[in-house]
């Protein structure tokens, strides 16, 4: 019943755009941090971007800031990752993850933990993004 489902991956040429979707079900969407991760062959899993659904606060990895935009549609319980000006280095399996985040928890904790995969207890299936040059 509790589920995250990532979709929207595919092949795109460098400089193009792609939008990934992470659809949530079975839990109170507004109480969660939802984060996009990616992992390329031979590389560590990397936190790409997260959003605090309740208040809309977002965080981006340096590698994607200015090119990618995370957003949420609370009515649809869906988080999006708009990927613009994609580069071959963006090629990876992209997954979304969620963790409950109470209003009483401070921003410092979010900044410290958002990109740490062990912090998350809900994960969706990955979607492959391949960027060709």
């Amino acid at each position: 019943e509790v589920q995250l489902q990532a979709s929207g991956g595919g092949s795109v040429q460098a400089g193009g755009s792609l939008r990934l979707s992470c659809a949530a079900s079975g839990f109170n969407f507004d109480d969660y941090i939802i984060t996009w991760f990616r992992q390329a062959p031979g590389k560590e899993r990397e936190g790409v971007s997260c959003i605090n659904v309740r208040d809309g606060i977002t965080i981006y990895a340096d590698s994607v800031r200015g090119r990618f935009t995370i957003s949420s549609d609370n009515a649809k319980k869906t988080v999006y990752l708009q990927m613009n000006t994609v580069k071959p280095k963006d090629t990876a399996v992209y997954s979304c993850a969620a963790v409950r985040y109470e209003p009483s928890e401070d921003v410092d904790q979010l900044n410290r933990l958002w990109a740490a995969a062990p912090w998350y207890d809900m994960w969706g299936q990955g979607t492959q993004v391949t960027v060709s040059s």
Side-chain angles (χ1 to χ4, degrees), residues 26-103:
F27 61 93
N28 189 356
F29 187 67
D30 291 348
D31 292 337
Y32 284 76
I33 300 294
I34 296 183
T35 298
W36 286 99
F37 288 87
R38 67 185 182 186
Q39 187 166 29
K43 294 185 177 181
E44 297 288 333
R45 181 173 293 171
E46 175 189 22
V48 178
S49 183
C50 76
I51 184 166
N52 181 335
V53 177
R54 195 189 331 271
D55 60 21
I57 293 175
T58 60
I59 303 175
Y60 295 91
D62 290 343
S63 59
V64 306
R65 187 176 294 109
R67 298 188 298 118
F68 293 4
T69 302
I70 191 170
S71 62
S72 65
D73 184 329
N74 294 3
K76 295 182 179 180
K77 300 182 68 174
T78 300
V79 169
Y80 303 97
L81 185 69
Q82 179 66 47
M83 305 168 60
N84 294 331
T85 319
V86 296
K87 303 175 180 180
K89 69 178 182 179
D90 295 321
T91 295
V93 174
Y94 286 72
S95 302
C96 56
V99 64
R100 188 177 177 87
Y101 194 76
E102 300 291 341

